Amino acid sequence: MALSTNNVLLASNISVQFGGLLAVNDVTFGIPEKSVVSLIGPNGAGKTTFFNVITGLYKPSSGTVNYDGTDTTDLPPHKIAALGMARTFQNIRLFGLMTAEENLLVAMHSHLKSGILATIVGTPSQRKEEKESLDRAREILDFVGIGKWAGEYARNLSYGDQRRLEVARALALNPKVLLLDEPTAGMNPQESQVFIDFVYKVRAERDVAILLIEHDMKVVMSVSERVTVLDQGEKIAEGTPDEIRSNQRVIEAYLGKAKGGK
Amino acid sequence: MARSSQRKWVTGYLIAVAAIFIIYQFLFPWEGLPIGIYDFLQLWLPPTAVNESLVYVICALGLNIVVGYAGLLDLGYVAFWAIGGYCAGWFMSEFFYQINLHFFGSVARTAPGIHVNFWGVLLIGGLVCAFFGILIGGPTLRLKSDYLAIVTLGFGEIIPQVFFNGDDIAGFNLSNGTKGITILDPIPVGAKNIGPFDFGYKFIIFVLLAALMVFISLRLRKGKLGRAWLAIREDELAASMMGVPLMQTKLSAYAVGAFAGGLGGVAFATHVDGVYAERFNFSISIFLLAMVVLGGMGNVWGVIIGALLLSWINSTGLPAFGTTFNDKFGTSINFPSFTFLLFGLVLILMMLYKREGLIPESRLRLILHEGDAEEDLTSKESK
């Protein structure tokens, strides 16, 4: 499948400096509409830092982030999220003592219009809004396959279901871009395979582009339409999974350089 | 499940309210009441103590929104109580005798001073406090929890000091200093005016205010804002990444909490029929916090129990126990002086053995008892 040339998200010439450390160096990265792209690289390559720049947690030292026609470089995270950029976390960060459906309702916060007084009084429009958002939350939970746990505290779900709930919560933001930070960390091969199918399903049924940060090469190579490789803060390669597999610099970054001679 | 237990709580409280109202309104003034029973009630359950404890309930419910729901530690809540109290002092007495302003007041129109209707003053007190809540919260809520606690502590010290020394602010008498502002207008209810000694009717008014705070707490908790508060308490970073504006959400918790403090302050002023700066001391902030912690953070029903219990022990229980004890054994131990020793001890024991409070919110119990969480949850749900 050919990638769309329209980028829903474009990060241009991003650099991030922590004191003397250049964590990300002049990286340009676009996410085409409705695509699945991956960002890989050895530990400390700057993947998560780059992720945090896109989502507004860090401000880049230089460069701009443009999301769906809006310059989001200087926006606070909650505004970027409200625009429709949703993420999951490397180590699951659910609201553990809220139910699964409440987790989703929190993510709908920016879409709900009722004010304090309307909530206290319980105006008809507030009730309607609450009911609609609850229906939508249940629909999303059903979509990711954990509908039966809607009323359960998030922390009581199994690991795999918590991962699904994180994706569901992200989907509740109605995102155009879904950023998954190491979603299969801690999963065994079977679970990873289930997760791959799940990513396909999300992509097929929701109009959303997916950016994946992942260590599991099997997952990366099977779901990505494009793979970008970071090493020591720099983009060293970008291309289809097949191109990346045979790229000399990538192999060096992961396995080290062969010492000259033999 | 949750709903039926809620109904039980409401029914229980309503029965208690009805019983106490009957005792005050009909049993107390009744000539035929045996003197023994009268003395017993006067010693163990005097009307003033009950009404005062309701003021604590109103304020503790407000603090519960800040501490219990949003997870922000506030050690200076007494400031809102004081501001609310002075609103009552300013707007329903003859204190500003230079001005003659009446707004549905309960006194003759010729009386000097500002005389706003009690119900209007409640609203003013609440809104002024909410405003101060936002004012103090704006710059401080960016701080992390411990630092926030220290700043609120300072705020709680400063405001009462301002009132304490406020009898001459560049020639302007703001608070009448240590003398305080006294003789407040009676509370108008229909054609009747409720004066300082109408305990029974004032009791009902305070109950209504507390009920209002319960209603507001429960409604907000179920809605968009309440979920955002809990989300922030659970994981601030994740909440902001899900589109929850942190500052705005925390500020709203502060404002609603402060609003309750204002209501409590106005109620307290009518309860003691005056406003005295020295009564707004640091210990009230700690006292309220202890009520929220003891009762069970985040659970309104538990917080009410905590507030009633601690307030009663402080105002009545301990002195009455002391009197009885001293009479019986001929000792002269000053029991009320051990109040804070007792509360300190109770809080330490609570933290050691029952950190979730007497009647905890079921969620909180889970955090604090990691090990037996599963079992706990299932038993809770099946009820």
Side-chain angles (χ1 to χ4, degrees), chain A residues 152-153 155-156, chain B residues 354 356 360-383:
Chain A
E152 188 61 76
Y153 288 132
R155 74 199 308 272
N156 292 349
Chain B
K354 205 158 164 51
E356 69 273 26
E361 192 196 27
S362 56
R363 307 162 191 266
L364 206 66
R365 173 153 41 187
L366 291 178
I367 317 183
L368 296 166
H369 290 263
E370 286 282 320
D372 43 58
E374 258 63 0
E375 173 198 346
D376 223 318
L377 185 80
T378 44
S379 70
K380 183 96 189 164
E381 294 294 333
S382 59
K383 262 177 207 166

Coordinates of all heavy atoms in Angstrom, one line a residue, chain A residues 152-153 155-156, chain B residues 354 356 360-383:
Chain A
E152 N -15.2 -2.4 36.0 CA -14.1 -2.9 36.9 C -13.0 -1.9 37.0 O -12.7 -1.1 36.1 CB -13.5 -4.2 36.2 CG -12.5 -4.9 37.1 CD -13.2 -5.5 38.4 OE1 -13.9 -6.4 38.3 OE2 -12.9 -4.8 39.4
Y153 N -12.4 -1.8 38.2 CA -11.3 -0.9 38.4 C -10.1 -1.3 37.4 O -9.8 -2.5 37.3 CB -10.8 -0.9 39.8 CG -11.7 -0.3 40.8 CD1 -12.0 -0.9 42.0 CD2 -12.2 1.0 40.5 CE1 -12.9 -0.3 42.9 CE2 -13.0 1.6 41.4 CZ -13.4 0.9 42.6 OH -14.2 1.5 43.5
R155 N -7.0 -1.2 37.7 CA -5.9 -1.9 38.2 C -6.2 -3.4 38.4 O -5.3 -4.2 38.5 CB -5.5 -1.3 39.6 CG -6.5 -1.7 40.7 CD -6.4 -0.7 41.8 NE -5.0 -0.6 42.4 CZ -4.5 -1.4 43.3 NH1 -5.2 -2.4 43.8 NH2 -3.3 -1.1 43.8
N156 N -7.5 -3.8 38.3 CA -7.8 -5.2 38.5 C -7.7 -6.0 37.2 O -7.9 -7.2 37.2 CB -9.2 -5.3 39.1 CG -9.2 -4.9 40.5 OD1 -8.1 -4.6 41.1 ND2 -10.3 -4.7 41.1
Chain B
K354 N -5.3 2.0 60.4 CA -6.5 2.1 59.6 C -6.4 3.3 58.8 O -7.1 4.3 58.9 CB -7.7 2.1 60.5 CG -9.0 1.7 59.8 CD -10.0 1.2 60.7 CE -11.4 1.1 60.0 NZ -11.4 0.4 58.8
E356 N -7.1 4.2 55.9 CA -8.1 4.6 54.9 C -9.2 5.3 55.6 O -10.1 5.8 54.9 CB -8.6 3.4 54.1 CG -9.5 2.4 55.0 CD -8.6 1.4 55.7 OE1 -7.4 1.7 55.9 OE2 -9.1 0.3 56.0
P360 N -14.1 4.4 54.6 CA -13.3 4.9 53.4 C -14.1 4.8 52.1 O -15.1 4.0 52.0 CB -12.1 3.9 53.4 CG -12.7 2.6 54.0 CD -13.7 3.0 55.0
E361 N -13.6 5.5 51.2 CA -14.1 5.4 49.8 C -13.5 4.0 49.4 O -12.3 3.8 49.7 CB -13.5 6.5 49.0 CG -14.1 6.6 47.6 CD -13.2 7.5 46.8 OE1 -12.0 7.6 47.0 OE2 -13.8 8.1 45.8
S362 N -14.2 3.2 48.7 CA -13.7 1.9 48.4 C -12.5 1.9 47.6 O -11.6 1.0 47.8 CB -14.8 1.1 47.7 OG -15.2 1.7 46.5
R363 N -12.3 2.9 46.8 CA -11.1 3.0 45.9 C -9.9 3.1 46.8 O -8.9 2.5 46.6 CB -11.1 4.2 45.0 CG -12.3 4.3 44.2 CD -12.4 5.7 43.7 NE -13.8 5.9 43.1 CZ -14.0 5.7 41.8 NH1 -13.0 5.4 41.0 NH2 -15.2 5.8 41.4
L364 N -10.0 4.0 47.8 CA -8.8 4.3 48.6 C -8.4 3.2 49.4 O -7.2 2.9 49.5 CB -9.2 5.5 49.5 CG -8.0 6.3 49.9 CD1 -7.5 7.0 48.7 CD2 -8.4 7.3 50.9
R365 N -9.3 2.4 49.8 CA -8.9 1.2 50.6 C -8.0 0.3 49.8 O -7.1 -0.3 50.3 CB -10.2 0.4 51.0 CG -9.9 -0.8 51.7 CD -10.9 -1.3 52.6 NE -12.2 -1.1 52.1 CZ -13.3 -1.3 52.8 NH1 -13.2 -1.7 54.1 NH2 -14.5 -1.2 52.3
L366 N -8.2 0.3 48.5 CA -7.4 -0.6 47.6 C -6.0 -0.1 47.6 O -5.1 -0.9 47.7 CB -8.0 -0.6 46.2 CG -9.3 -1.3 46.1 CD1 -9.8 -1.2 44.7 CD2 -9.2 -2.7 46.5
I367 N -5.8 1.2 47.5 CA -4.4 1.7 47.5 C -3.6 1.3 48.7 O -2.5 0.9 48.7 CB -4.2 3.2 47.4 CG1 -5.2 3.8 46.5 CG2 -2.8 3.6 47.1 CD1 -5.1 5.3 46.5
L368 N -4.3 1.5 49.9 CA -3.6 1.4 51.1 C -3.5 0.0 51.6 O -2.6 -0.3 52.4 CB -4.4 2.2 52.2 CG -4.4 3.7 51.8 CD1 -5.4 4.5 52.6 CD2 -3.0 4.3 52.0
H369 N -4.3 -0.9 51.1 CA -4.1 -2.3 51.5 C -3.9 -3.1 50.2 O -4.7 -3.9 49.8 CB -5.4 -2.9 52.2 CG -5.6 -2.3 53.5 ND1 -5.2 -2.9 54.7 CD2 -6.1 -1.1 53.9 CE1 -5.4 -2.2 55.7 NE2 -6.0 -1.1 55.3
E370 N -2.7 -2.9 49.6 CA -2.3 -3.6 48.4 C -2.6 -5.1 48.4 O -3.2 -5.6 47.6 CB -0.8 -3.3 48.1 CG -0.5 -1.9 47.7 CD -0.9 -1.7 46.2 OE1 -0.6 -2.6 45.4 OE2 -1.4 -0.6 45.9
G371 N -2.1 -5.7 49.5 CA -2.2 -7.2 49.6 C -3.5 -7.8 49.5 O -3.8 -8.6 48.6
D372 N -4.4 -7.3 50.3 CA -5.7 -8.0 50.3 C -6.8 -7.2 49.5 O -8.0 -7.3 49.7 CB -6.2 -8.1 51.8 CG -6.0 -6.8 52.6 OD1 -6.5 -5.8 52.1 OD2 -5.3 -6.9 53.6
A373 N -6.3 -6.6 48.5 CA -7.1 -5.7 47.6 C -8.2 -6.6 47.0 O -9.4 -6.2 47.1 CB -6.3 -5.0 46.6
E374 N -7.8 -7.7 46.3 CA -8.8 -8.4 45.5 C -10.0 -8.9 46.3 O -11.1 -8.6 46.0 CB -8.1 -9.6 44.9 CG -7.7 -9.4 43.5 CD -6.7 -8.3 43.3 OE1 -6.3 -7.7 44.2 OE2 -6.3 -8.0 42.1
E375 N -9.6 -9.5 47.4 CA -10.6 -10.1 48.3 C -11.6 -9.0 48.8 O -12.8 -9.1 48.8 CB -9.9 -10.7 49.5 CG -10.8 -11.2 50.6 CD -9.9 -11.4 51.8 OE1 -8.6 -11.4 51.7 OE2 -10.4 -11.5 52.9
D376 N -11.0 -7.8 49.2 CA -11.7 -6.7 49.7 C -12.7 -6.2 48.7 O -13.9 -5.9 49.0 CB -10.7 -5.6 49.9 CG -11.0 -4.9 51.2 OD1 -12.2 -4.7 51.5 OD2 -10.1 -4.6 51.9
L377 N -12.3 -6.1 47.4 CA -13.1 -5.6 46.4 C -14.3 -6.5 46.1 O -15.5 -6.0 46.0 CB -12.3 -5.4 45.1 CG -13.1 -4.8 44.0 CD1 -13.1 -3.3 44.2 CD2 -12.6 -5.1 42.6
T378 N -14.1 -7.8 46.1 CA -15.2 -8.7 45.8 C -16.2 -8.6 46.9 O -17.4 -8.6 46.6 CB -14.7 -10.1 45.6 OG1 -13.8 -10.4 46.6 CG2 -14.1 -10.3 44.2
S379 N -15.7 -8.6 48.1 CA -16.7 -8.6 49.2 C -17.5 -7.3 49.2 O -18.7 -7.2 49.5 CB -16.0 -8.7 50.6 OG -15.3 -7.6 50.9
K380 N -16.9 -6.2 48.8 CA -17.5 -4.9 48.7 C -18.6 -4.9 47.6 O -19.7 -4.4 47.8 CB -16.5 -3.8 48.4 CG -17.0 -2.4 48.4 CD -16.8 -1.8 49.7 CE -17.5 -0.4 49.8 NZ -17.6 0.0 51.1
E381 N -18.2 -5.5 46.5 CA -19.1 -5.4 45.3 C -20.3 -6.3 45.5 O -21.4 -6.0 45.0 CB -18.4 -5.9 44.1 CG -17.3 -5.0 43.6 CD -17.8 -3.6 43.2 OE1 -18.9 -3.5 42.7 OE2 -17.0 -2.7 43.3
S382 N -20.2 -7.4 46.3 CA -21.3 -8.3 46.4 C -22.3 -7.9 47.4 O -23.4 -8.5 47.4 CB -20.7 -9.7 46.8 OG -20.1 -9.6 48.0
K383 N -22.0 -6.9 48.1 CA -23.0 -6.4 49.1 C -24.2 -5.8 48.5 O -24.1 -5.1 47.5 CB -22.3 -5.3 50.0 CG -21.8 -5.9 51.3 CD -21.1 -4.8 52.1 CE -20.1 -5.5 53.1 NZ -19.2 -4.5 53.6

